[in-house]
């Protein structure tokens, strides 16, 4: 179901109303439970950021990371970032809230246990980076994911990962043009030199032509 201006709006805090009005509104999905306002604000920010990611990403991958060390997660983040993607450790309940109102809402059941989310604008980059890392480190377990409204199981993620990325496709498409350019460039250079030489000869005075030649 659609959720106001953003999932966090269910908390009654979407920038509307006076400060007194906002504080008087019910906590909704985020009851205080003794939490500080700072903690609740962090949760709202997480939900909003993940909602935007789920809405705009070309592909999203959910993976289990039980047993991964902080150093290993950092290495994985760096690998995904280099590929043009992002890694977020999921707070399952908040991730499910963030999914509401997006095409990827069907992913909700994937958020169980220790999970993280990998996403990218390029629909191939996130799956490829996640699958490649999982091959080297079995503690990263591919659960599934989504490509827009399309739900992906583990095999679906691996199938996407096997496809060339957008950068790889561009490189393949441009390769023939670059090879042709490499063949033609020397000929253009020779033709240019000949034209310049002809112009220079045309500017030489008759008495100097023998010396020039």
């Amino acid at each position: 179901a659609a959720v106001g201006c953003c999932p966090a709006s269910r908390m009654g805090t979407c920038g509307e109303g006076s400060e007194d009005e906002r504080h008087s509104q019910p906590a909704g999905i985020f009851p205080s439970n003794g939490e500080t306002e700072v903690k609740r604000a962090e949760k709202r920010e997480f939900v909003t950021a993940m909602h935007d990611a789920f809405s705009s990403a070309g592909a999203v991958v959910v993976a289990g990371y039980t047993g991964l060390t902080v150093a290993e997660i950092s290495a994985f983040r760096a690998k995904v970032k280099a590929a043009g993607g992002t890694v977020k450790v999921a707070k399952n309940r908040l991730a499910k809230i963030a999914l509401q109102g997006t095409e990827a809402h069907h992913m909700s059941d994937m958020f169980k246990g220790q999970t993280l989310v990998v996403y990218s604008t390029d629909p191939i980059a996130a799956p490829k980076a996640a699958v490649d890392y999982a091959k080297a480190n079995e503690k990263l377990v591919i659960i599934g994911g989504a490509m827009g409204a399309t739900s992906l199981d583990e095999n679906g993620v691996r199938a996407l990962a096997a496809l060339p990325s957008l950068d790889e496709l561009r490189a393949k498409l441009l390769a023939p043009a670059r090879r042709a350019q490499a063949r033609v460039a020397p000929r253009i250079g020779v033709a240019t030199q000949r034209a310049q030489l002809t112009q220079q000869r045309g500017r030489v005075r008759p008495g100097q032509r023998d010396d020039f030649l």
Side-chain angles (χ1 to χ4, degrees):
V3 192
C5 64
C6 65
S9 67
R10 291 181 59 188
M11 300 174 60
T13 54
C14 213
E16 298 180 357
S18 68
E19 183 176 354
D20 290 339
E21 289 172 338
R22 289 198 299 272
H23 282 298
S24 66
Q25 291 171 344
I29 55 175
F30 292 125
S32 61
N33 295 330
E35 289 183 339
T36 65
E37 182 59 29
V38 172
K39 190 67 174 178
R40 294 179 64 206
E42 290 174 353
K43 289 183 176 181
R44 288 194 293 269
E45 291 174 5
F46 178 86
V47 168
T48 300
M50 290 311 300
H51 180 82
D52 292 344
F54 290 141
S55 299
S56 61
V60 180
V61 177
V62 181
Y65 69 95
T66 301
L68 282 178
T69 65
V70 173
E72 288 171 330
I73 293 176
S74 296
F76 180 48
R77 285 184 194 274
K79 179 179 178 64
V80 173
K81 183 178 180 180
T86 303
V87 176
K88 292 284 188 183
V89 173
K91 302 169 184 176
N92 291 342
R93 186 172 72 90
L94 301 184
K96 291 177 181 180
I97 294 169
L99 281 169
Q100 296 175 14
T102 72
E103 289 186 328
H105 61 85
H106 49 78
M107 293 171 52
S108 183
D109 290 342
M110 297 181 188
F111 290 95
K112 298 175 182 177
Q114 290 185 305
T115 58
L116 51 77
V117 181
V118 189
Y119 57 92
S120 59
T121 302
D122 180 342
I124 309 301
K128 187 181 290 291
V131 170
D132 285 350
Y133 190 83
K135 289 177 181 177
N137 193 328
E138 61 182 14
K139 287 179 286 187
L140 184 73
V141 179
I142 306 298
I143 297 172
M147 188 169 60
T150 302
S151 181
L152 303 170
D153 59 10
E154 179 188 352
N155 291 331
V157 173
R158 293 185 181 280
L160 268 183
L163 298 175
S165 68
L166 292 180
D167 286 341
E168 291 170 338
L169 283 174
R170 291 190 189 100
K172 288 182 179 180
L173 291 174
L174 291 174
R178 288 172 177 166
R179 287 195 293 269
Q181 184 180 24
R183 290 195 298 268
V184 172
R187 299 176 186 176
I188 294 176
V190 170
T192 300
Q193 290 175 353
R194 288 177 177 172
Q196 291 173 344
L197 183 60
T198 299
Q199 291 175 355
Q200 290 172 353
R201 286 174 173 172
R203 289 195 296 269
V204 174
R205 294 192 299 273
Q208 296 177 324
R209 188 173 299 278
D210 292 340
D211 293 340
F212 181 80
L213 296 173

